[in-house]
Every structure is written in C-alpha cells, then in structure tokens.
Amino acid sequence: MHEEFDLQNYLTAGVERIVTEAVKATLKNPKESTFMLKFAAASRAASKKRRKAEDNGEHIPPFIIASITSSCNLHCAGCYSRCNHATVDSEPVKQLSDEEWQNVFDEAEDLGISFILLAGGEPMLRRGVIEAAGKRQNILFPIFTNGTYLDERYLELFSNFRNLIPIMSIEGDRQRTDERRGKGIYDKLISNMDEIKKRGLVFGASVTVTTKNYKEVTSQEFLGSLSERGCKAVIFVEYVPVTAESKELAPGDAEREFMQAEMKRLRETHPEMVYISFPGDEKSSGGCVAAGRGFFHINSHGGAEPCPFSPYSDINVRDSSLREAMNSPLFMKLRDEGYLLEDHEGGCILYEKRELVEQLINA
C-alpha cells in the first residue's frame, strides 16, 4: 500500500492548495495579491524542480522549519522548546550567523523548497536573519512569533518584503492566552493585529490545540474575530506532551477527528482565511512527514533534526550542504526502515518513539 502512495504528488497538491487559498484570501489586498500571484508561479516552478528530482531518485521536501534562535522573552506553560532545552535564558552560544542562515536560504531556493517556517525561541530577536529571508522572494517565510517585538522597523520590513508573514501565537480568548503566555500578551496581540490591518499588511495566527480548547479555537466567535482583524491564515498546532503531567492536554483520536472535520468545513465556508493543521492526519499522508519526507527542522546551532519534537541530529548545515543534511544517516534510517509509517497512539510518532530515535543516532 505504501509503495502506491506518491508522496511527492501528495505534498505538491498540499502546497498548491495552500497557495491557491492564499491567493483567494488576499484578493481584496492589491499589494498582497500581486505578490501571491508571483509566488504562485514561483511555487509551481519549485514543484516541477522537486518532481524532476523525484523522478531522478532524489526526494526534496517543500518545507523546512528553521529555529533561528535559542532565546525567548516568555516562559509559556508547557513550551516544548524549553522542555527540550532548545530555548534557554542564557546567552546564545555557537548559533548560526546571519550569513550562514542566508546560505541555507539560498540553497533551499536552488533545491526548490517553497516554505521555510521561522521559529525559535523568539525569531524576531534575529532581525538580520529575517532581513536575509526577505531577499529570497521565491520562498514564503511564515514567522512564528509571540508578537512582543513587533515595532515600526518590522512593520516597514513586512511592507517591503511580502514573503515575510508574521504568524502570532494565540491560545483562544484573553484568559486562555494570558494563562499560558503571560498577563497582557492577549491585549498586545490584538493591538498588533489592528495595527497590521490598518497598514494593509497580512498576518496569520498560530494556535496550540489541546483537549481544553479545541472546540473554542475552531468556533465562529474566535475565528470570526481573527478574520475581522485581517487574519489570513490560521495554523493549528497539535499539542505534543513533553512532560508526563501534560499528557492529558494532548488531543486523542476523537479530538483529531473533530479537527479534521472542522478543517474541511472551514475551508469550504470561510475561504477568506487559509487553514493548516500540523502535524495533521498522518494516515492520509502515508505516515509522518518529518525527517525530510515533507519537512525537517534546523535548530539554532545548525543541527538538522527530524522534527522540533524530535531534537536529535547527526549532521550540521554549518559543515555540510542542505542536500547532505536532508539525507543524513538518521533521516535515511527513519525513512527507509519504515519507522515513520508505523501505527501509534498520539499525534507525533517520533516523540512517542524518542527512545528508538536515540538508539538509531547512537548506533
């Protein structure tokens, strides 16, 4: 069954759907729709490049997640990055420089990678990296931010480089957001959204989905308020438990089925926004798409990891090409030996099998 599944076609269809929905969502914004139409053409060219590589025996994923800093000013409850010690309060050590990140972006464009999700820590602490990203107009850079560093210079940057899209993290209403992220964060986010809309810019929202908020964050009230403020994309990130105490917050099969049905409904009834679910239904995608199948993660020090929730690396982009990194021995074992295709209980097979991943990297 797995051999009949054409992963590249599946990923290309997903990319085309996202881009098509983005074009529709920005039709009333002339500057943004002009950029999105240009990006749509670049995305189709990148898809052809990846298809050609696939036909020649090389798989190129369309996405990368790049955590460009280990620093963050917030201490959000249950933060996977802090639990994995990828985000710390001490001064960053041996992080990739602005120039090294620019080299990663350049090579990604050459390979046909269409999206690089900038994360952290708090990515807006690395203005130089984000400025370098803006110059790569054939790649879309969603910036996953807590929103506290948005200032006049960033607003001007986002106006000049439409491929940079701030994705602000919000957990639902004021109570849920401040409960997890800190007092006053919700009001700061709302203020940011209103300012971005006033300037005719585009932004998105990132929502961590738990057993406590999954109905609220898909409600008409919540999503309608985001839409009214000009939000054009909502990315639902399924909560992955990083401590035993937080396991009850992780969505199960019932919540995941609810989210899948809601995603279908929202895409049909509210085309003014793009809806993306991560990691989404792995069964429909022929298994987990981490470890270079659909994406992989580069940490702030350059280590290529299967996924942010699986922080293990055997190769560094500082010492190797991006092409070599996405075909690292660890990634190859995970892909070729069927580990990503196995049945599992939770939403993240690699987190569930973290002991196995440790064994593979130490083998």
Side-chain angles (χ1 to χ4, degrees):
M1 181 176 69
H2 295 307
E3 291 180 0
E4 296 174 0
F5 179 77
D6 191 319
L7 180 64
Q8 193 60 254
N9 281 351
Y10 173 84
L11 294 170
T12 297
V15 168
E16 289 177 352
R17 177 183 59 74
I18 292 170
V19 173
T20 299
E21 289 179 2
V23 170
K24 289 180 182 177
T26 58
L27 283 176
K28 294 181 180 180
N29 185 327
K31 285 187 178 179
E32 198 65 35
S33 61
T34 297
F35 165 74
M36 285 307 307
L37 287 169
K38 289 180 180 177
F39 177 72
S43 177
R44 287 192 295 272
S47 293
K48 290 179 181 178
K49 191 179 291 187
R50 295 194 304 271
R51 179 77 260 177
K52 184 177 180 180
E54 189 83 22
D55 293 342
N56 290 327
E58 180 183 22
H59 180 71
I60 305 292
F63 296 87
I64 291 177
I65 301 176
S67 291
I68 60 178
T69 181
S70 62
S71 297
C72 187
N73 59 317
L74 300 186
H75 289 74
C76 300
C79 173
Y80 74 88
S81 189
R82 285 194 180 276
C83 288
N84 290 337
H85 306 294
T87 294
V88 293
D89 289 326
S90 57
E91 192 70 21
V93 177
K94 294 183 179 178
Q95 295 195 112
L96 293 186
S97 67
D98 295 1
E99 184 179 351
E100 286 172 322
W101 277 116
Q102 183 168 324
N103 291 338
V104 170
F105 302 155
D106 289 346
E107 189 176 354
E109 182 174 5
D110 289 341
L111 289 171
I113 291 169
S114 297
F115 298 85
I116 299 181
L117 286 61
L118 300 182
E122 171 46 50
M124 288 175 68
L125 287 166
R126 296 292 303 273
R127 195 183 298 267
V129 178
I130 294 176
E131 288 174 349
K135 297 172 183 175
R136 302 268 63 83
Q137 289 285 295
N138 290 336
I139 298 176
L140 202 65
F141 290 88
I143 305 167
F144 283 69
T145 175
N146 61 39
T148 58
Y149 285 94
L150 186 71
D151 58 13
E152 183 65 30
R153 285 178 62 199
Y154 265 125
L155 289 167
E156 289 179 4
L157 188 67
F158 297 153
S159 179
N160 292 331
F161 298 101
R162 297 280 168 157
N163 63 326
L164 303 176
I165 301 180
I167 307 291
M168 290 180 282
S169 298
I170 189 168
E171 310 301 328
D173 61 14
R174 178 182 286 104
Q175 180 182 343
R176 288 202 186 276
T177 299
D178 286 3
E179 189 177 75
R180 182 168 190 235
R181 298 188 168 270
K183 189 175 181 180
I185 297 299
Y186 178 85
D187 289 339
K188 173 64 175 172
L189 292 171
I190 296 303
S191 175
N192 286 347
M193 293 176 188
D194 291 343
E195 182 63 27
I196 290 173
K197 180 181 180 180
K198 185 171 76 174
R199 294 175 182 240
L201 302 176
V202 163
F203 72 91
S206 170
V207 180
T208 300
V209 179
T210 70
T211 52
K212 288 186 175 181
N213 73 350
Y214 71 101
K215 289 187 177 180
E216 176 187 333
V217 298
T218 54
S219 69
Q220 177 61 41
E221 182 181 5
F222 174 67
L223 294 175
S225 70
L226 289 179
S227 179
E228 286 174 10
R229 288 189 162 87
C231 181
K232 292 301 180 184
V234 182
I235 300 177
F236 296 103
V237 182
E238 185 176 314
Y239 181 78
V240 174
V242 286
T243 64
E245 296 78 23
S246 64
K247 193 170 183 180
E248 65 178 24
L249 293 174
D253 287 342
E255 291 83 7
R256 210 168 290 118
E257 287 177 12
F258 175 89
M259 287 298 299
Q260 192 174 0
E262 283 298 280
M263 293 290 285
K264 185 175 186 297
R265 179 185 69 81
L266 290 169
R267 287 167 181 161
E268 291 173 352
T269 59
H270 292 281
E272 76 275 8
M273 291 198 287
V274 179
Y275 302 93
I276 301 170
S277 180
F278 178 81
D281 184 7
E282 293 182 345
K283 292 177 182 177
S284 69
S285 58
C288 174
V289 291
R293 290 189 80 229
F295 75 93
F296 66 98
H297 178 234
I298 302 174
N299 66 34
S300 62
H301 307 287
E305 302 172 344
C307 173
F309 301 121
S310 184
Y312 304 99
S313 177
D314 61 352
I315 195 168
N316 194 295
V317 297
R318 176 177 275 139
D319 311 311
S320 66
S321 69
L322 203 57
R323 175 177 266 117
E324 290 170 328
M326 68 179 63
N327 291 296
S328 75
L330 174 62
F331 288 8
M332 295 292 282
K333 288 176 186 176
L334 290 171
R335 296 198 304 255
D336 295 347
E337 296 178 23
Y339 296 113
L340 301 174
L341 309 179
E342 295 178 8
D343 289 334
H344 60 102
E345 293 181 1
C348 178
I349 190 169
L350 288 178
Y351 180 78
E352 236 177 69
K353 296 182 177 294
R354 54 195 178 279
E355 293 180 1
L356 170 67
V357 180
E358 289 182 11
Q359 291 173 8
L360 290 175
I361 205 165
N362 294 319

